[in-house]
Amino acid sequence: MRRFLIAGNWKMNSTSASAKELAQGLVDGVSLKDTDVEVLISPPFPYLSQVKSIVDGSPVQLGAQNAYFEAQGAFTGETSADMLTDIGCSHVILGHSERRHVLGESDEIINKKVHACLNEGLTVILCVGELLKDRESNQTESVLETQMKGGLKGVEAGAMGKIVIAYEPVWAIGTGVTASPEQAEAAHQFLRNWLSENYNAEVSEQMQILYGGSVKGSNANELLSQTNVDGALVGGASLKADQFLPIIEAAVGLSS
Ligand code: 13P
């Protein structure tokens, strides 16, 4: 059985003080014992170490929002996968739509980052998702296919246990508009079939496929109830413990 993963992506939000308070609020409020639920938070880079010291010893795992594909050297402003493992990150988010569409990352660059992070033992949350215009012109599946093919190029089946897919329709991110449970399930089913056809049945069955896009406490249960939705990648609602904890609780309720 697949475990749920509820992941918070703080994006470029918080201060040193609010990061500590939020992390502490989650550690105090979360209870995952004997459940099939994993919880992860991804603060901005400057706060990773201090958040790590708060979540250490708790079930809350730590992820980064990006990494560079080179190991070290003259790459001003970049952070390597090795640095992330060094400070205790277990996961990294790659290919987020904001990095694709605001910062211009191509599938080729994302793929290099995927390899660099897998080589360092990080679990990669690879984000894919279509723009509104893609959905309106019936291109959703071909966009997802291109992003999966490009992002996972050269990744062998044996490494796929360290990949998580996040389906984040761009039109649902930060807009308050959530994909309907049926729309999410259809996209997740497509992604799972793609994994089966391009890898094998085992990889497809075991893959955690998260949904992201305006997930909140009030809609988490119906989204997570879908057969192929194995968790959530949460932006806005991950910035307050009293909004993130109910999403975790929805997963806990469904897993027991
Ligand atoms: P929101 O939950 O704010 O829509 O953001 C989703 C997201 O981009 C998570 O990575």
Side-chain angles (χ1 to χ4, degrees):
M1 175 174 161
R2 294 185 295 268
R3 292 164 65 80
F4 281 112
L5 172 60
I6 306 299
N9 173 10
W10 294 7
K11 307 191 180 182
M12 198 172 73
N13 293 296
S14 71
T15 61
S16 173
S18 72
K20 274 191 231 169
E21 188 187 330
L22 176 50
Q24 193 62 56
L26 295 174
V27 167
D28 292 344
V30 83
S31 169
L32 302 178
K33 201 162 178 288
D34 301 325
T35 71
D36 280 319
V37 180
E38 300 170 54
V39 172
L40 171 80
I41 52 177
S42 306
F45 284 110
Y47 308 133
L48 282 170
S49 283
Q50 71 179 45
V51 167
K52 170 72 182 159
S53 68
I54 294 168
V55 300
D56 248 351
S58 86
V60 178
Q61 301 177 74
L62 189 69
Q65 299 174 20
N66 185 30
Y68 195 53
F69 51 79
E70 296 286 357
Q72 61 181 52
F75 304 101
T76 302
E78 294 297 333
T79 303
S80 70
D82 174 54
M83 292 171 182
L84 297 179
T85 50
D86 186 32
I87 60 161
C89 288
S90 55
H91 291 65
V92 60
I93 299 169
L94 295 177
H96 191 278
S97 74
E98 286 142 24
R99 297 217 58 92
R100 293 176 187 270
H101 301 296
V102 182
L103 294 147
E105 280 189 18
S106 63
D107 283 316
E108 195 184 348
I109 286 180
I110 294 162
N111 180 246
K112 285 181 168 184
K113 293 181 169 190
V114 168
H115 283 283
C117 290
L118 289 176
N119 285 341
E120 283 304 325
L122 288 162
T123 295
V124 170
I125 301 179
L126 175 64
C127 303
V128 296
E130 81 286 1
L131 298 165
L132 184 58
K133 70 175 168 60
D134 302 324
R135 177 160 285 268
E136 287 176 345
S137 57
N138 261 336
Q139 296 301 307
T140 298
E141 292 186 353
S142 82
V143 168
L144 295 181
E145 174 154 31
T146 301
Q147 293 176 346
M148 291 287 280
K149 230 187 220 163
L152 294 172
K153 192 172 170 201
V155 178
E156 305 289 338
M160 290 296 278
K162 286 282 201 178
I163 298 279
V164 173
I165 302 296
Y167 169 61
E168 297 207 314
V170 182
W171 48 271
I173 295 177
T175 58
V177 180
T178 318
S180 68
E182 295 74 25
Q183 285 172 321
E185 174 61 14
H188 285 224
Q189 179 75 64
F190 173 80
L191 292 167
R192 204 172 300 286
N193 288 345
W194 186 92
L195 289 162
S196 177
E197 281 160 20
N198 289 273
Y199 285 91
N200 56 52
E202 195 188 343
V203 165
S204 165
E205 265 311 297
Q206 290 180 356
M207 182 63 62
Q208 284 174 318
I209 308 180
L210 316 183
Y211 168 78
S214 299
V215 176
K216 7 183 210 289
S218 56
N219 59 26
N221 187 66
E222 58 174 357
L223 286 162
L224 296 172
S225 298
Q226 302 303 306
T227 311
N228 287 291
V229 177
D230 310 311
L233 184 53
V234 186
S238 74
L239 293 172
K240 293 226 157 65
D242 64 358
Q243 291 180 17
F244 195 48
L245 287 167
I247 300 172
I248 298 169
E249 278 151 23
V252 168
L254 288 164
S255 86
S256 49

